[in-house]
Amino acid sequence: MCGIVGVTGVGNALPYLLRGLEKLEYRGYDSAGVYLANPDGTDFLVKEKGRVSALVAEAQAQGVYGTAGIAHTRWATHGNVSVENAHPQASSDHRFHLVHNGVIENYQELQGQYLADVTFASQTDTEIAVQLVDKFAKEEQLSTRDAFAKMISLLDGNSAYGFLLMDSQEPDTLYVAKKKSPLLIGVSDHGNAVTSDAAAMLDMTADFIELMDGDIALVKPNSVEIFGADGQAVDRKPFHLDIDPAQTDKGAYPYYMLKEIDEQAVVARTLAGHYFNDEGEIVGIGCGIGDTIKQADRLYIIAAGTSYHAGLVGKRYFENWANIPTEVHIASEFAYDQPLLSEHPFFIFLSQSGETADSREVLDNIKRQGFPTLTIANVMNSTLTREADFALPVLAGPEIAVASTKAYTAQIIVQAILAYSLGDVELDLKQELAKVAVEIQAITDEKMTFQAIAESALQNQHSAFYIGRGMDAAVALEAALKLKEISYIQTEGFAAGELKHGTISLIEEGTPVFALLTQAKTAGLLRGEVAQVAARGANTITISSKSLARPDDAYVLPEVDELLMPLLAVIPAQLIAYYATLARGLDVDRPRNLAKSVTVQ
Ligand code: G6P
């Protein structure tokens, strides 16, 4: 979703800003813009619809430069995708420029109350914010900091913002503010930066100061001043981020998604190494987590998208291994339609980014109700990990492709390890995870098989199905999401037994139906369902596990413990989605309309 970068004190800021925007592309956006200013009074504003590459070309054509600047990738919320609505937004006299992540809930009221006489150039809530700063600076003779603070004080309590403001009269200063939307200040001895995502600024620094909700900061070439919500100066220490910038490059791979699919074997090994010692005992989970969960009578897993699908699999571990009843909920539903809770609930938030607004809304609600919380996330130091009582890392490494792959399998593994630590399970999970890693590797080594399946089954198709029962039904949902979100083939994931209650009417001659068959208890029933759709013309493609396989199955998975089979069953689906999308000539990593980190509700 929207991304912010700002730089001051590095000589020409333009290359840092443009590289930063390129690093933010993975989050999803539909327009981009940049504003730069110089001490001699010159400044530049360039905005483009579409890709950052268009902005780069235009900025270079115009000979843009500046000793400080701000830049933004926009994912449209208020107002359509257009150059006018792209950020930075400017005040009418072009003294102030502002980029913004988030939503100003009362922007129309503010417009009516304070800006009735102003002509607006865009339909964005952000323009109201920058026009207000201009108005207060001019009419009330306020300093830029005070005008900025006054504008912020007028925003509705539910508003979310990460703001980065420049005043052309102070061309080296970045004015920063944040609430409910992540912003970091990057510090170095050769200039300072502001960003919504550390990955965007790693070329310049790995030392970041995290801003808290309500903070306002002034970032200059050689100094950073931060004021807390009460207006008093605060001292916030930088932390060092240990990310190898190479991890965010795709190396020799044509797309991040393929690289991330391949990384899953390594991630499984990393997790086993992190959470178990050499004797096979669990070490990476603090006892506070286990003790608190053991007092719970029910677990509530809260998540969105792919993370929700990982939760559907995780539920089986908590119920089978830890013997704790577990419910899995879609965050955006739970937030406004909270079900009756058990007497002693424990909440687990699953998230790749740790920033998903829907999940954060639930966490806020749950904290107010005083229940214990744990976040399992890939991005530690994210809002969800900071604000929950406990946090466990997913350790998948940066996931750049919008379609989540390695974060899904890693979230499943962390849930399995946590459930295992709570119960008395006979299985040697550490050893089993080593086997999982070997088998994931074996499946990913057979890419040509999945390319062939994708090209023969999905070419010229406009719809498809994934079916399964039990854990396979949970994987079918994720498999269908992978295929539909990047290839745009309308795909349904289905509990196979439900097909006959309505959806089977959609089966036509040649409709691809992928069946996932890894659970012995229901294998016979699923075979029956495959036969039912085949009898109605479906092109059935069965992916089965070794002990349940039949000769005409399209692919036979190696076998690990049955409860861990989702970790293998999803890999063919990821690869089929990848190759189906490639065959359609689409951008695998950046599907239309989607964002990697969804920071609005
Ligand atoms: C977006 C992404 C999905 C992701 C979902 C939840 O929609 O495109 O891939 O599953 O958000 O995100 P989270 O970071 O909380 O796992």
Side-chain angles (χ1 to χ4, degrees):
M1 205 146 264
C2 306
I4 286 179
V5 285
V7 176
T8 182
V10 287
N12 185 6
L14 184 72
Y16 288 95
L17 294 171
L18 294 179
R19 259 204 312 277
L21 289 187
E22 281 165 358
K23 291 279 184 194
L24 291 172
E25 283 194 286
Y26 79 97
R27 297 169 67 93
Y29 69 102
D30 36 48
S31 55
V34 65
Y35 170 77
L36 291 106
N38 291 289
D40 65 5
T42 52
D43 63 359
F44 300 88
L45 174 65
V46 186
K47 305 197 280 187
E48 287 290 327
K49 260 178 23 169
R51 291 283 142 96
V52 169
S53 52
L55 182 73
V56 172
E58 188 54 31
Q60 278 163 0
Q62 289 188 25
V64 167
Y65 64 93
T67 50
I70 55 179
H72 190 261
T73 47
R74 174 175 187 253
W75 190 83
T77 55
H78 293 76
N80 59 358
V81 180
S82 68
V83 170
E84 295 72 38
N85 289 337
H87 300 199
Q89 288 291 319
S91 57
S92 300
D93 59 1
H94 283 257
R95 172 177 164 191
F96 293 101
H97 289 81
L98 178 72
V99 295
H100 168 217
N101 283 359
V103 173
I104 299 171
E105 299 242 330
N106 58 332
Y107 75 103
Q108 279 162 329
E109 288 89 319
L110 291 174
Q111 183 177 7
Q113 197 175 340
Y114 293 96
L115 302 167
D117 53 341
V118 175
T119 309
F120 283 82
S122 79
Q123 295 129 20
T124 62
D125 50 346
T126 308
E127 187 181 351
I128 279 127
V130 73
Q131 299 283 20
L132 282 174
V133 173
D134 190 47
K135 179 185 174 77
F136 299 144
K138 247 197 230 118
E139 292 179 7
E140 300 181 21
Q141 304 287 307
L142 294 183
S143 67
T144 301
R145 183 186 144 198
D146 289 347
F148 189 44
K150 177 162 182 182
M151 177 277 285
I152 289 165
S153 73
L154 298 175
L155 306 182
D156 180 282
N158 287 328
S159 298
Y161 57 80
F163 284 129
L164 193 45
L165 173 85
M166 280 185 76
D167 174 355
S168 56
Q169 296 177 3
E170 297 168 65
D172 67 346
T173 305
L174 309 177
Y175 287 87
V176 192
K178 88 132 225 162
K179 193 181 135 207
K180 292 199 217 166
S181 186
L183 266 191
L184 299 167
I185 298 178
V187 288
S188 82
D189 51 16
H190 52 281
N192 293 319
V194 180
T195 180
S196 54
D197 184 335
M201 280 295 134
L202 285 176
D203 285 353
M204 184 176 149
T205 181
D207 296 313
F208 294 93
I209 299 171
E210 191 181 330
L211 291 179
M212 299 294 143
D213 282 355
D215 282 355
I216 290 183
L218 271 64
V219 177
K220 300 187 182 199
N222 303 310
S223 69
V224 173
E225 283 177 282
I226 304 175
F227 304 92
D230 58 3
Q232 298 301 309
V234 283
D235 186 20
R236 302 211 192 285
K237 295 273 171 273
F239 63 92
H240 184 77
L241 196 68
D242 224 358
I243 294 187
D244 174 1
Q247 276 188 301
T248 60
D249 284 337
K250 55 179 188 281
Y253 282 89
Y255 286 99
Y256 282 105
M257 185 180 177
L258 195 62
K259 173 175 180 257
E260 289 160 6
I261 290 173
D262 272 358
E263 283 170 351
Q264 291 174 105
V266 175
V267 173
R269 281 190 201 104
T270 306
L271 286 169
H274 178 83
Y275 282 107
F276 289 91
N277 65 14
D278 290 346
E279 283 70 50
E281 297 153 348
I282 303 242
V283 287
I285 299 176
C287 53
I289 299 180
D291 292 347
T292 315
I293 296 185
K294 280 179 187 154
Q295 289 163 21
D297 57 1
R298 187 169 286 258
L299 302 183
Y300 292 81
I301 298 177
I302 309 292
T306 290
S307 297
Y308 167 70
H309 295 157
L312 293 175
V313 175
K315 166 186 162 78
R316 270 69 175 194
Y317 304 128
F318 293 113
E319 296 200 328
N320 283 280
W321 290 348
N323 210 22
I324 311 176
T326 303
E327 296 179 18
V328 192
H329 290 271
I330 293 172
S332 56
E333 283 297 302
F334 195 100
Y336 300 98
D337 195 13
Q338 182 173 309
L340 256 189
L341 300 179
S342 67
E343 216 168 315
H344 301 292
F346 183 94
F347 282 81
I348 298 177
F349 293 82
L350 279 185
S351 177
Q352 190 284 124
S353 62
E355 298 295 347
T356 301
D358 294 324
S359 301
R360 283 170 43 200
E361 182 69 28
V362 181
L363 179 58
D364 279 355
N365 296 344
I366 292 307
K367 281 175 63 177
R368 270 199 298 277
Q369 294 168 64
F371 298 125
T373 53
L374 159 72
T375 292
I376 297 176
N378 196 27
V379 182
M380 292 304 271
N381 263 317
S382 54
T383 310
L384 284 169
T385 60
R386 276 199 327 266
E387 294 188 349
D389 299 321
F390 305 103
L392 288 176
V394 154
L395 302 177
E399 190 181 67
I400 308 290
V402 166
S404 179
T405 52
K406 61 178 180 171
Y408 170 79
T409 42
Q411 284 172 341
I412 290 176
I413 293 172
V414 176
Q415 291 176 94
I417 295 171
L418 176 59
Y420 182 82
S421 76
L422 298 167
D424 189 12
V425 189
E426 281 204 358
L427 180 81
D428 180 343
L429 184 59
K430 186 181 183 195
Q431 203 179 22
E432 204 59 21
L433 287 175
K435 222 159 116 190
V436 164
V438 170
E439 303 304 7
I440 289 178
Q441 174 91 57
I443 302 169
T444 53
D445 281 348
E446 292 192 62
K447 295 192 177 61
M448 305 305 274
T449 308
F450 303 112
Q451 180 164 21
I453 293 176
E455 286 173 3
S456 73
L458 294 167
Q459 208 168 21
N460 306 322
Q461 294 295 336
H462 57 272
S463 69
F465 291 87
Y466 268 94
I467 62 171
R469 278 179 172 250
M471 288 192 114
D472 289 330
V475 180
L477 293 178
E478 173 58 11
L481 178 62
K482 280 306 83 115
L483 184 55
K484 75 178 119 182
E485 70 180 332
I486 57 173
S487 74
Y488 315 145
I489 298 170
Q490 187 159 2
T491 313
E492 296 292 329
F494 242 84
E498 269 296 285
L499 269 183
K500 59 183 175 293
H501 296 298
T503 310
I504 201 166
S505 68
L506 294 174
I507 302 294
E508 294 173 356
E509 199 57 42
T511 304
V513 178
F514 294 88
L516 302 177
L517 198 148
T518 70
Q519 306 293 305
K521 196 165 62 179
T522 49
L525 286 165
L526 191 60
R527 290 282 177 198
E529 277 131 6
V530 171
Q532 287 163 21
V533 290
R536 286 159 181 84
N539 172 20
T540 57
I541 304 114
T542 301
I543 296 169
S544 57
S545 55
K546 207 163 163 191
S547 60
L548 304 173
R550 290 202 185 154
D552 55 354
D553 288 347
Y555 187 76
V556 178
L557 295 162
E559 221 150 50
V560 293
D561 183 89
E562 200 178 81
L563 280 179
L564 296 172
M565 281 306 288
L567 295 167
L568 304 190
V570 76
I571 310 289
Q574 295 170 344
L575 286 164
I576 288 168
Y578 174 83
Y579 285 112
T581 307
L582 209 60
R584 288 172 177 234
L586 297 167
D587 185 339
V588 176
D589 286 339
R590 291 177 296 195
R592 69 186 176 208
N593 305 339
L594 292 181
K596 182 73 182 163
S597 176
V598 179
T599 47
V600 295
Q601 285 190 49

